[in-house]
């Protein structure tokens, strides 16, 4: 049961037309009660369709009565020199931050888009509870989910991630993105989008965090660094369940294997 719907809207935060996809369980489509809502932030190169078509999340979301929201990964339909030159910067690589470098600052405001504008649209247009919302993501989207959760205590009930970029201020993907969007010298701004560093000043609810990471992920050591997140959580007193999944890589096969666990994890906190 349930329905998949695609939404297109004009974004004031990104100054372009944006698309997001939603799974609406049958209980939310037919009843008067407001459903819980779970946002999924995708990784590099992805669109709003990747999670919806590849993750196999509908059965668990239907069973738990949870609306799934899958937004895009960057502004679209704009023309900025260099935005399509590489897979890890620009188009489909917005890194869920608000850019401050003049070239990118007009459009690349994915942090504001996810935390404010998209939430307002979803709350107004879909049968969701404004109080019962959580967030998760993969890779760059795992970074986005963790940082957005930590920067906005109480806005989301819970957070989880698959293969997140845990310490982007100290990995090639993050350094490239932060240099381009925030400026090479603006290191204080970099720190505001690094989950490992944000934990040192986090004073919000100590809700457990779930992270799944494949042991055969080719990006594990250079880009993802989950042990740093584990150390930071321990120092901050935030419970982290880091599951190193033997033999799994960075792909949607990995996500589809464990997505039901993540939906069930969030369902416990969305009651």
């Amino acid at each position: 049961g349930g329905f998949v719907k695609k939404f297109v809207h004009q974004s004031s935060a990104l100054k372009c037309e944006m698309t997001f996809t939603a799974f609406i369980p049958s209980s939310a489509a037919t009843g008067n009660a407001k459903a819980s809502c779970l946002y999924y932030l995708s990784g590099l190169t992805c669109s709003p369709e990747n999670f919806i078509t590849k993750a196999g999340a509908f059965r668990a979301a239907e069973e738990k009565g949870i609306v799934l929201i899958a937004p895009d990964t960057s502004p679209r339909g704009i023309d900025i020199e260099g935005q399509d030159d590489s897979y890890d910067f620009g188009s489909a690589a917005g890194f869920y931050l608000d850019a401050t470098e003049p070239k990118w600052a007009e459009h690349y405001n994915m942090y504001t888009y996810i935390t404010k504008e998209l939430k307002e649209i979803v709350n107004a247009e879909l049968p969701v509870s404004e109080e019962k919302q959580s967030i998760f993501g993969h890779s760059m989207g795992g970074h986005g989910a963790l940082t957005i959760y930590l920067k906005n205590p109480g806005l989301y009930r819970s957070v989880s991630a698959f293969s997140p970029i845990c310490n982007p201020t100290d990995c090639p993907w993050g350094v490239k993105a932060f240099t381009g969007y925030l400026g090479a010298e603006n290191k204080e701004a970099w720190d505001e989008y690094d989950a490992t560093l944000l934990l040192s000043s986090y004073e919000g609810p100590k809700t457990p965090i779930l992270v799944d990471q494949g042991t055969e992920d080719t990006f594990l050591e250079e880009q993802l660094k989950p042990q740093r997140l584990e150390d930071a959580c321990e120092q901050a007193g935030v419970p982290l369940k880091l599951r190193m999944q033997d033999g799994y890589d960075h792909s949607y096969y990995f996500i589809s294997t464990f997505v039901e666990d993540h939906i069930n994890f969030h369902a416990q906190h969305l009651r």
Side-chain angles (χ1 to χ4, degrees):
F3 306 89
V4 174
K5 292 188 177 183
K6 184 177 181 179
F7 295 83
V8 180
H9 68 97
Q10 195 65 30
S11 168
S12 58
L14 307 178
K15 296 183 172 57
C16 66
E17 189 175 89
M18 291 295 286
T19 302
F20 69 91
T21 309
F23 170 78
I24 303 167
S26 55
S27 58
T30 56
N32 295 320
K34 298 283 191 179
S36 299
C37 183
L38 179 57
Y39 286 82
Y40 178 85
L41 305 186
S42 293
L44 294 165
T45 76
C46 288
S47 73
E49 279 75 50
N50 290 78
F51 177 76
I52 294 297
T53 58
K54 295 181 180 180
F58 297 161
R59 183 179 64 182
E62 169 70 11
E63 185 179 304
K64 299 296 183 182
I66 293 174
V67 171
L68 299 173
I69 304 294
D72 212 336
T73 50
S74 77
R76 300 289 184 173
I78 57 175
D79 186 16
I80 302 175
E81 181 189 3
Q83 69 177 5
D84 299 319
D85 288 355
S86 59
Y87 80 95
D88 54 0
F89 184 81
S91 297
F95 268 83
Y96 304 102
L97 50 75
D98 285 351
T100 55
E101 287 294 281
K103 182 177 178 179
W104 306 96
E106 182 179 4
H107 296 287
Y108 276 72
N109 298 300
M110 288 298 293
Y111 174 80
T112 292
Y113 174 69
I114 297 294
T115 59
K116 293 181 180 172
E117 184 176 17
L118 182 60
K119 274 180 76 77
E120 290 171 2
I121 292 169
V122 169
N123 291 345
E125 300 295 330
L126 290 169
V128 301
S129 165
E130 295 186 23
E131 287 76 39
K132 295 181 179 180
Q133 302 197 3
S134 292
I135 192 166
F136 70 147
H138 171 237
S139 194
M140 176 185 73
H143 141 77
L146 289 167
T147 55
I148 284 170
Y149 173 84
L150 293 170
K151 285 165 70 69
N152 298 276
L155 191 62
Y156 303 90
R157 292 277 187 93
S158 52
V159 65
S160 70
F162 300 94
S163 324
I165 305 171
C166 295
N167 191 193
T169 59
D170 190 30
C171 79
W173 279 339
V175 169
K176 180 177 180 177
F178 292 178
T179 299
Y181 295 133
L182 303 173
E185 305 304 320
N186 195 10
K187 294 295 173 61
E188 286 187 8
W190 291 29
D191 294 354
E192 287 298 308
Y193 297 104
D194 186 312
T196 294
L197 300 180
L198 286 168
L199 278 158
S200 65
S201 58
Y202 176 71
E203 296 180 350
K206 299 294 173 68
T207 305
I209 296 171
L210 172 63
V211 171
D212 274 320
Q213 172 64 60
T215 60
E216 299 303 310
D217 191 321
T218 55
F219 304 113
L220 176 58
E221 299 299 330
E222 184 181 29
Q223 303 281 14
L224 306 176
K225 306 177 189 276
Q227 281 72 31
R228 295 189 183 181
L229 182 73
E230 186 173 41
D231 292 343
C233 281
E234 185 175 349
Q235 292 175 13
V238 175
L240 171 68
K241 189 169 189 178
L242 172 61
R243 306 195 305 184
M244 300 300 295
Q245 303 289 5
D246 190 40
Y248 285 90
D249 61 10
H250 201 69
S251 72
Y252 266 90
Y253 297 112
F254 168 56
I255 295 170
S256 65
T257 302
F258 299 104
V259 70
E260 185 172 347
D261 289 354
H262 283 247
I263 290 173
N264 290 338
F265 166 78
H266 290 292
Q268 293 177 349
H269 299 286
L270 290 168
R271 290 173 179 164

